[in-house]
Amino acid sequence: MSKRIGVLTSGGDCPGLNAVLRGVVHAASRQGWEILGFLDGYEGLLSPVQYRILDSSSTAGIMHLGGTILGTTNKGRFVAKVRHGENATLDPAIIEEAKETFEGLDLDSLICIGGDGSLTTALQLQQAGINTVGVPKTIDNDIEATAITFGFDSAVACVVDALDRLHTTAKSHKRVMVLEVMGRYAGWIALHGGLAGGADIILLPEFPFDLNIICKIIKEREAKGAFNTMVVCAEGACPIDGGFTTKQTNRTGETRLGGVGELVAEAIGDRTGKDTRAVVLGHLQRGGNPTALDRILGTRFGVEAIELIMQGRYGHMVSYQNYRVDAVRMEDAVSHLKQVQQDTQLVDTCKQVGISFGT
């Protein structure tokens, strides 16, 4: 039976989104189904409704491209997160308008590609009677119900490239370099990027750091002839005697983190006398072409989303576990964040090669 499927990309962009869209379209076309791509995330469901027909022609040659051909937003009327990651309940009138669009376009289901905030929105739409399927997207890799999300590997590759470049200039000038990376409440990017990029110190949101310990390590390295030190700092990392370092609060009420790298660099310079520099990668981690892993994972996720619709497994999110792509209930997927634990094997690996977490 022919079906009409909606698809949208919501929240922050990342490499791999277009690979998902391509996977959805190719898998759906084999069933003779029509795909409508809503523009600018969930906002495309509201007046003035905006969408485009996606087919093999419109998705040809997009897998290697970063960003999303549909556009996205983490603002607007569907924002589902406030302050420090707290979930918000959507206005019933907004949900009702989205439902009217869904029914008016005679859609069978809606594929929602996004992170925890966007999937929280998808869950509320599902509870309102809209058949939804979720596809996890976050460079932070902080969704508990999946071992990995697309976009994460590309973000880590960006961190590693930056560290490779910073190593050479740090060594030339005998400097301490502090690289601030994304990771609000989970430090997976800093952990993986720091290990792969040869960092000496990694600061994570999960492990409050002690500046005295950090400075002691730098001095000890200096005494042993290691005159440059590389510090990777997640934007959500906190000192033991303080909270988040914030820039400002955006119009939706969610606090924007940032500035901890500069704080750490200034403290190191003051306490050790070392020439210290801070570098913020910011949105460089979201841009650019996806790695091979993210292209493959995105394609597999898109194909699985169509498979879930074929099986009538609405209210589920695509999940990757034990080298297999399957699915979990969406309400389980957004219940809590996946964070780095002290007993994580990768943390122990870092410690075994001499990396400190400032604790």
Side-chain angles (χ1 to χ4, degrees):
M1 182 180 296
S2 179
K3 293 180 185 288
R4 240 185 168 197
I5 312 297
V7 63
L8 57 85
T9 55
S10 177
D13 69 304
C14 75
L17 282 167
N18 287 323
V20 179
L21 294 175
R22 179 177 176 273
V24 164
V25 168
H26 279 265
S29 65
R30 293 176 63 87
Q31 305 300 322
W33 297 352
E34 185 180 23
I35 299 294
L36 273 61
F38 289 94
L39 306 185
D40 298 331
Y42 290 104
E43 293 297 306
L45 293 166
L46 304 181
S47 181
V49 176
Q50 299 183 77
Y51 65 87
R52 57 183 290 196
I53 303 298
L54 297 181
D55 53 26
S56 57
S57 176
S58 61
T59 56
I62 69 170
M63 184 165 60
H64 71 286
L65 300 177
T68 165
I69 62 170
L70 293 179
T72 186
T73 181
N74 50 14
K75 301 180 178 63
R77 293 161 285 183
F78 275 93
V79 171
K81 297 188 80 62
V82 295
R83 291 186 295 279
H84 283 302
E86 298 175 20
N87 292 331
T89 301
L90 294 173
D91 184 341
I94 296 296
I95 294 179
E96 185 58 32
E97 185 177 348
K99 189 174 182 180
E100 290 176 1
T101 298
F102 181 85
E103 294 173 347
L105 290 173
D106 196 26
L107 294 176
D108 171 85
S109 50
L110 180 66
I111 299 173
C112 305
I113 309 170
D116 59 325
S118 299
L119 293 178
T120 297
T121 295
L123 178 59
Q124 293 180 57
L125 294 180
Q126 174 68 34
Q127 293 167 341
I130 297 176
N131 293 333
T132 61
V133 167
V135 176
K137 176 270 330 165
T138 167
I139 66 170
D140 287 342
N141 200 37
D142 58 1
I143 296 179
E144 181 67 47
T146 182
I148 190 171
T149 54
F150 65 90
F152 172 66
D153 188 64
S154 297
V156 170
C158 180
V159 173
V160 173
D161 179 65
L163 285 171
D164 287 347
R165 295 169 183 271
L166 291 174
H167 269 291
T168 58
T169 184
K171 188 173 183 179
S172 297
H173 291 271
K174 300 181 177 65
R175 283 175 175 153
V176 175
M177 305 297 290
V178 180
L179 179 66
E180 181 182 313
V181 304
M182 285 184 170
R184 292 176 297 177
Y185 315 114
W188 296 106
I189 293 177
L191 181 63
H192 283 250
L195 176 58
D200 305 298
I201 299 171
I202 300 175
L203 307 180
L204 307 177
E206 297 87 343
F207 308 159
F209 60 85
D210 188 331
L211 281 166
N212 292 322
I213 292 177
I214 293 172
C215 293
K216 179 183 177 183
I217 291 170
I218 292 172
K219 290 178 180 179
E220 290 175 347
R221 287 176 50 80
E222 182 106 356
K224 295 177 182 178
F227 299 110
N228 63 287
T229 298
M230 305 298 296
V231 181
V232 174
C233 182
E235 63 186 347
C238 301
I240 57 174
D241 56 353
F244 291 115
T245 304
T246 59
K247 289 182 177 178
Q248 64 189 83
T249 300
N250 63 23
R251 286 176 293 177
T252 67
E254 185 174 11
T255 302
R256 289 180 175 173
L257 302 183
V260 66
E262 189 66 45
L263 181 149
V264 170
E266 184 177 344
I268 290 173
D270 289 343
R271 299 186 189 193
T272 67
K274 290 284 294 181
D275 190 10
T276 307
R277 296 288 189 275
V279 177
V280 180
L281 272 187
H283 283 75
L284 285 172
Q285 296 157 93
R286 289 194 180 277
N289 298 340
T291 61
L293 175 61
D294 282 340
R295 299 181 196 193
I296 294 169
L297 191 61
T299 301
R300 294 181 69 182
F301 277 13
V303 170
E304 181 63 19
I306 294 298
E307 183 67 26
L308 291 177
I309 293 172
M310 291 175 61
Q311 297 171 5
R313 296 174 67 186
Y314 305 118
H316 281 69
M317 182 198 82
V318 176
S319 173
Y320 182 84
Q321 298 284 1
N322 299 319
Y323 300 101
R324 287 183 55 82
V325 175
D326 203 334
V328 296
R329 294 193 313 164
M330 209 177 303
E331 56 197 65
D332 296 332
V334 299
S335 58
H336 63 281
L337 296 179
K338 176 177 66 180
Q339 294 182 298
V340 180
Q341 304 298 320
Q342 287 281 1
D343 59 356
T344 300
Q345 189 177 51
L346 200 59
V347 169
D348 183 62
T349 298
C350 289
K351 291 178 179 178
Q352 293 296 330
V353 296
I355 297 175
S356 170
F357 292 93
T359 58

